[in-house]
Amino acid sequence: MAILEPYRTVRVAWSGDSTPLAADLVFTSAFDPYTEEHYLDASTGRVTQEITRYNQIGRWDGWLSIDGVRISVDDWWAVRDHSWGVRPGVGGIDRSVADPAARTAAPMMHTVLYAATADFCVCVSRRENQRGTVTYLDGEVIGVDGRHSTVVIADVTTEFVPGTRTYRSVRLEVETDAGARHDIVATPLLDPWAYAGTGYDGGYRDGRGLGVPRGDLVEHDVYELVPPEAVLLDGDPTPSGHREQFAKIVVDGVTTTGYCTVMARGSLPHRGIG
C-alpha cells in the first residue's frame, strides 16, 4: 500500500502470486474523513474495547483479477475504514462483540451506515440494547465544501427477513446539531457475509487473531453465501455476527450506492427477534 496524498489518494496493489486475487487499485476521497469519538467499553468490569477509528468515502479506480479474469474498476463507490486499538477477538481469547457465539455478551443491535450524494456524505454508527435504549451514537454529515455537523439523533426502523437477523430494509431518520434532517432508506445489494478473516473472531487459519507475530503471511478466504443468512467459510459454517453489506441507499430521495450493516445479537423482543 502507498499513500500518494494523505487523506486523499491511496494505492493498493498485490501480485496474486499466492492467491487467486490480484489487484492494482487507487482510492480517491470525495469528502473529508469522518473521525469517530474515542470509544472505551469497560461494561464487563474490564476494558474490552478501546478504539479510535476514521472512515472516508470516495471511489476506486484500477483493476481486479480473480482466477485470471481481469475486471476493470472505473469509478466504483468506496469507503475505507482505518481503525486501531483494543477489541475482542483480536488475540484469539474473546469472541467479537457481534459474534452470536459470544454467550456472555449482552444482547444488542448495531447499525452502521455510510452513504453520500454529490453534495454531502452521511456516516452513522448506532448501538441499542435489549430494551431499545440507544447506548452508543456517533456520526457526522460532511459537506463537499468541508463543513462537518454532528449526528445527534438517528432513529432506526429495521425490517428483518422473518426468522433471521438479515434485514430487508433499514430506515434512518437522522438529525444533526445544525438542525438538518435526512431521511435514509437502505436495501441490500447482496447477501451479508461474515467478516471472520483478517484476524477477526480468531481469524487467520492459526486461530490466534490479530497482533501475533507471524513474519510474512498471505492468506485468502472463500465465502459462500447461502440465503437468507448462512455463511460458509472455506466450505464450513461460520458465525455471521460481524457482518458486511453493501446496499442501495436513498438519501432524501436521491438514489446512490452505499454501505449499511445490521449486527443483531441475542434476544431483541422490540425488534421481533427471539
Side-chain angles (χ1 to χ4, degrees), residues 62-96:
W63 58 266
L64 289 166
S65 176
I66 303 174
D67 290 328
V69 179
R70 187 156 166 154
I71 302 168
S72 177
V73 177
D74 182 18
D75 195 20
W76 286 14
W77 183 89
V79 61
R80 68 184 186 118
D81 175 335
H82 187 176
S83 58
W84 59 97
V86 176
R87 69 186 71 197
V90 299
I93 300 173
D94 293 329
R95 305 296 296 193
S96 164

Side-chain angles (χ1 to χ4, degrees), residues 148-220:
H148 293 237
S149 55
T150 301
V151 172
V152 294
I153 297 174
D155 292 330
V156 176
T157 304
T158 305
E159 180 188 357
F160 288 98
V161 176
T164 77
R165 298 169 188 268
T166 299
Y167 73 85
R168 281 179 174 162
S169 68
V170 176
R171 181 175 183 177
L172 288 91
E173 296 174 273
V174 171
E175 185 173 338
T176 73
D177 60 353
R181 296 183 179 181
H182 302 284
D183 185 78
I184 305 167
V185 177
T187 53
L189 281 175
L190 46 77
D191 294 324
W193 71 93
Y195 198 17
T198 68
Y200 281 97
D201 295 334
Y204 298 107
R205 290 172 191 154
D206 61 17
R208 295 187 295 166
L210 294 171
V212 177
R214 296 178 177 87
D216 294 334
L217 175 67
V218 177
E219 292 185 352
H220 70 275

Side-chain angles (χ1 to χ4, degrees), residues 3 14 117 156 190 234 259 262 273:
I3 307 298
W14 61 96
T117 68
V156 176
L190 46 77
D234 295 329
Y259 170 96
V262 177
I273 295 178

Side-chain angles (χ1 to χ4, degrees), residues 235-251:
D236 296 320
T238 187
S240 55
H242 191 149
R243 297 167 181 258
E244 303 288 347
Q245 194 159 23
F246 292 109
K248 181 183 81 172
I249 297 181
V250 180
V251 182

